Amino acid sequence: MARAATTADAFNAVAEPRRRQIIDVLAGGERPVNDLVRELGLAQPQVSKHLRVLREVGAVEVRDDGRRRLYRLNGHALKPIHDWVKPFERLWSERFEALDVVLDDLKRKEQEDGRDHE
């Protein structure tokens, strides 16, 4: 089966861990590429390549500020990912709640066992 192009959609673009790191940094606000280079510890050409992919799917926007180019996150382009994950939220919550019940039971039994041995 052929691989989908990384620029086909947001899902493919964010499949690469470095691009997710860039999104995490840009979630904190607009940044020039040199800030991203420092923050991620990557070479500037690598950061620029990842930014290009993110721009092509619309996840990142760029604006000129004098001689600098400032990059910012476009959350709207990531909405399809959110919409896909959203239905799983209830399942995850239910499983975590069930795990909490099991952990509470284990703690209670451990405390009871500790009192029995005193």
Side-chain angles (χ1 to χ4, degrees):
M1 177 187 296
R3 255 182 68 202
T6 56
T7 57
D9 61 29
F11 288 93
N12 287 308
V14 303
E16 210 288 325
R18 297 292 188 182
R19 288 194 278 274
R20 290 194 305 270
Q21 288 179 310
I22 290 171
I23 289 170
D24 288 343
V25 172
L26 293 178
E30 200 171 54
R31 304 285 283 276
V33 71
N34 288 335
D35 282 7
L36 295 169
V37 167
R38 268 191 308 279
E39 183 109 14
L40 301 172
L42 297 173
Q44 188 274 327
Q46 286 179 297
V47 172
S48 292
K49 179 186 97 173
H50 291 306
L51 284 169
R52 179 183 47 79
V53 171
L54 292 169
R55 279 194 332 265
E56 287 178 7
V57 299
V60 167
E61 297 173 341
V62 63
R63 74 176 177 89
D64 292 328
D65 180 40
R67 290 188 288 171
R68 296 187 319 164
R69 299 189 78 187
L70 298 175
Y71 294 86
R72 67 180 170 270
L73 191 59
N74 174 18
H76 182 71
L78 300 175
K79 190 172 182 325
I81 296 170
H82 174 267
D83 291 345
W84 182 75
V85 169
K86 184 76 174 145
F88 296 101
E89 185 177 5
R90 192 179 101 236
L91 172 68
W92 296 330
S93 293
E94 289 171 357
R95 288 189 178 175
F96 283 129
E97 287 170 13
L99 182 58
D100 285 342
V101 169
V102 169
L103 290 173
D104 287 344
D105 285 347
L106 288 172
K107 285 179 189 175
R108 191 184 73 257
K109 287 176 185 175
E110 189 175 85
Q111 289 171 349
E112 289 171 358
D113 287 347
R115 279 182 267 169
D116 291 343
H117 295 292
E118 290 177 5

